[in-house]
Amino acid sequence: VQLQASGGGLVQAGGSLRLSCAASGSIFEINTMGWYRQAPGKQRELVAVITSGGSTNYADSVKGRFTISRDNAKNTVYLQMNSLKPEDTAVYYCNADVYDSTWLRHDYWGQGTQVTVSS
């Protein structure tokens, strides 16, 4: 299974970006999909997650500004980021909790996409 993330870039504070992450390969079912981020010198942290049923959870720092969504038919998760702040600058990684055809669970990560917010 591969996760291909896209949509990062450079934006001014107050701007918006939309990240996408598509999962492909031997997938029977995807449970939770999510976005994490890692800023220089810091640990990777949760940004937002969404279950297959659409339940969501956000980090306090992004609530009200970021929206996570998914298209189950396309095995794709999105992160709409509005009102971006310089402190949102980080490499953003997508994650997927995948069941294979034998119902074994696997945890996959995308390659990361850089988001830089200038002040």
Side-chain angles (χ1 to χ4, degrees), residues 47 59 70 72 104:
V47 176
R70 65 189 280 176
N72 290 330
L104 286 175

Side-chain angles (χ1 to χ4, degrees), residues 24-64:
S24 61
S26 181
I27 298 169
F28 186 69
E29 185 173 308
I30 301 178
N31 185 17
T32 301
M33 301 185 82
W35 291 94
Y36 294 73
R37 67 187 181 187
Q38 187 167 18
K42 295 187 177 181
Q43 290 188 332
R44 190 174 297 187
E45 63 177 2
L46 169 74
V47 176
V49 292
I50 184 168
T51 68
S52 57
S55 296
T56 59
N57 189 36
Y58 295 90
D60 288 342
S61 60
V62 307
K63 283 181 181 176

Side-chain angles (χ1 to χ4, degrees), residues 20-21 95 102 119:
S20 300
C21 178
N95 173 268
T102 65
S119 57

